[in-house]
Amino acid sequence: MDTINVKQLTAAVRIIAEEKNLPEETVMEVIEQAIAAAWRRDNGERDQIVRSIIDTHSGEATIYVGQKVVEEVENPINEISLSDAKKMKKDAQLDDIIEREEKATSFGRVAAQTAKQVVLQRLREAEREVVSAAYEDKVGMIVSGTVQRVEARVVRVDLGNATGILPQSEQIQDEYYSVGNRIKVLLKEIERGQRGPQLILSRGSEEFIKRLFEQEVPELESGAVEIKGIAREAGRRTKIAVYTNVPGVDPVGTFVGGHGTRVRAVMNEIGEQEKIDIVVYSDDPVEYITGAISPAEVVRIDIQKGEEKRAKVIVNDDQQSIAIGRGGQNVRIASRLTGYELDIETAKKEAPKPRKNIEDSLLSAVEEAAE
């Protein structure tokens, strides 16, 4: 592309729009930006205010070079004094942009390359914008995709007509991602930055677990049961608090499913290494904490008085390691689920009463008989 043929570019607008699934107006804007960039490269200055308008009938481009009207000119490239501006436009006012026309005739090789780069970059950005708009209503939902590329810190997932990224912080710990594998992901958010919108995906969030259960438990949609809270360390353990106000409904059984089919379906998706504890939510903190600290058995729970939500969980010696969990995992997740800072303590065993000497017992019996 040594020269820019404006007429050819204009004629290609419809074809590019169809290929990229973009509005023709958007493609035309991209080409006009490219023409302006090429003119600036050949005839102007780097930071100059330049725009172009293409006549779709003639295929000719007109360049408009702008200057801002200011009281005191500091940058003559982009600024013009009010008195000079009035010579060009009688009713010019401060902060107006005064433009002069230039014809875009031919461009050098470097300018043509600049235009090509602008077209490619702007089209990519425009495509991302269209794609993000299509996924706007899917934020917070589970979508399926194929692992496209595995990098050091992110996994790129092909969602069909868009690519999303699964950051390391949103991955399941120790999960292996292989190119070509089909996976489910939560569309967590659409992040907008300088390089255009980016689809951020998640498999390690609490919301991902919630959505997986929603797919398996139809009673959630009907309102017969509800999820009150989820605390998770992805790849290790998840605790989910469930509740119902419908008489005769077992909320835990509803989530587990017959022969464990429902919870098994969720575990098949996240991996067998992650344990799932389903507990009954209660407004009574003692009951709630007792369920949350499972599978450990509790002797009693002492709720601390004061503004700080703290509780002592008393367990027998043989239950202490279970209550705490490997690396403090069980108590840590239970704390997050309940909102209470939990301290695990062991029950103090009462000292055994001293056994009476057998002879003393016999003598006492004889004395009682003699009386």
Side-chain angles (χ1 to χ4, degrees):
M1 185 177 176
D2 291 336
T3 60
I4 298 174
N5 189 318
V6 178
K7 286 185 178 180
Q8 282 184 3
L9 279 175
T10 306
V13 166
R14 183 171 297 173
I15 297 169
I16 296 171
E18 287 177 0
E19 283 182 358
K20 301 290 185 181
N21 193 28
L22 294 169
E24 287 185 27
E25 297 80 12
T26 301
V27 178
M28 183 60 79
E29 285 175 15
V30 167
I31 291 172
E32 287 175 342
Q33 288 171 7
I35 297 295
W39 188 92
R40 188 188 296 111
R41 179 70 182 75
D42 261 7
N43 307 284
E45 300 286 342
R46 185 174 181 178
D47 298 324
Q48 207 160 11
I49 302 169
V50 180
R51 67 184 180 94
S52 77
I53 297 291
I54 295 175
D55 186 325
T56 54
H57 298 293
S58 66
E60 293 183 352
T62 303
I63 299 295
Y64 295 91
V65 182
Q67 290 175 298
K68 187 177 181 179
V69 181
V70 294
E71 286 185 359
E72 188 176 341
V73 176
E74 294 180 1
N75 178 7
I77 294 170
N78 284 335
E79 295 174 343
I80 186 172
S81 67
L82 182 59
S83 58
D84 287 342
K86 285 183 178 294
K87 293 174 185 176
M88 300 172 67
K89 186 184 176 185
K90 289 182 179 179
D91 59 349
Q93 295 180 358
L94 290 173
D95 294 330
D96 282 354
I97 299 294
I98 302 296
E99 293 181 319
R100 70 175 191 274
E101 283 188 22
E102 300 277 353
K103 281 293 179 186
T105 51
S106 61
F107 299 94
R109 183 178 59 83
V110 176
Q113 288 175 343
T114 299
K116 184 179 179 180
Q117 289 170 358
V118 170
V119 167
L120 293 174
Q121 181 186 343
R122 295 286 190 270
L123 284 178
R124 276 197 297 268
E125 290 173 1
E127 279 183 283
R128 286 201 195 105
E129 286 290 350
V130 169
V131 166
S132 70
Y135 279 87
E136 204 79 56
D137 60 344
K138 293 182 180 178
V139 172
M141 295 172 62
I142 285 180
V143 293
S144 294
T146 305
V147 176
Q148 187 182 69
R149 194 160 73 247
V150 180
E151 300 173 5
R153 293 189 174 274
V154 299
V155 174
R156 300 194 180 274
V157 182
D158 181 4
L159 302 176
N161 57 351
T163 300
I165 63 168
L166 186 64
Q168 195 172 43
S169 59
E170 297 296 339
Q171 296 172 19
I172 295 175
Q173 193 173 349
D174 298 331
E175 186 171 53
Y176 178 72
Y177 301 99
S178 178
V179 173
N181 277 10
R182 291 284 295 173
I183 59 171
K184 288 181 179 179
V185 289
L186 177 86
L187 178 53
K188 188 177 181 181
E189 62 178 318
I190 299 174
E191 195 176 80
R192 285 178 165 77
Q194 290 183 341
R195 304 180 74 176
Q198 187 72 260
L199 305 182
I200 307 299
L201 311 174
S202 175
R203 279 177 63 80
S205 62
E206 283 93 353
E207 190 68 17
F208 182 60
I209 293 288
K210 181 182 179 183
R211 295 301 182 191
L212 286 175
F213 270 108
E214 285 177 349
Q215 291 182 347
E216 301 298 329
V217 183
E219 290 86 349
L220 276 167
E221 190 175 354
S222 69
V225 293
E226 59 180 300
I227 295 172
K228 285 288 192 177
I230 300 177
R232 184 185 188 203
E233 289 188 5
R236 296 291 180 261
R237 196 175 210 106
T238 287
K239 289 181 182 286
I240 175 169
V242 299
Y243 177 77
T244 183
N245 56 10
V246 179
V249 173
D250 172 16
V252 173
T254 302
F255 278 78
V256 171
H259 304 290
T261 53
R262 291 175 172 180
V263 72
R264 177 64 53 192
V266 174
M267 290 181 72
N268 286 343
E269 181 59 43
I270 63 175
E272 298 288 332
Q273 77 282 356
E274 185 169 337
K275 306 301 179 190
I276 298 179
D277 298 332
I278 303 173
V279 303
V280 178
Y281 171 81
S282 175
D283 287 329
D284 180 352
V286 171
E287 288 182 4
Y288 193 20
I289 293 168
T290 300
I293 207 69
S294 65
E297 296 175 7
V298 174
V299 173
R300 75 173 190 277
I301 291 171
D302 297 335
I303 304 295
Q304 305 298 299
K305 293 181 180 180
E307 292 183 9
E308 188 181 5
K309 294 178 77 174
R310 200 177 191 98
K312 285 184 181 179
V313 180
I314 316 298
V315 297
N316 287 326
D317 284 342
D318 62 344
Q319 296 293 304
Q320 185 180 24
S321 60
I322 300 171
I324 294 171
R326 184 180 297 178
Q329 180 190 98
N330 193 61
V331 66
R332 188 166 58 245
I333 299 174
S335 291
R336 280 172 39 207
L337 183 69
T338 59
Y340 278 80
E341 192 68 34
L342 303 178
D343 301 313
I344 307 297
E345 296 185 7
T346 54
K348 294 177 181 177
K349 292 183 178 179
E350 292 183 9
K353 293 179 180 178
R355 293 178 63 186
K356 290 185 178 180
N357 186 291
I358 190 67
E359 289 86 352
D360 291 343
S361 299
L362 285 170
L363 286 171
S364 297
V366 169
E367 287 171 1
E368 287 175 8
E371 292 175 358

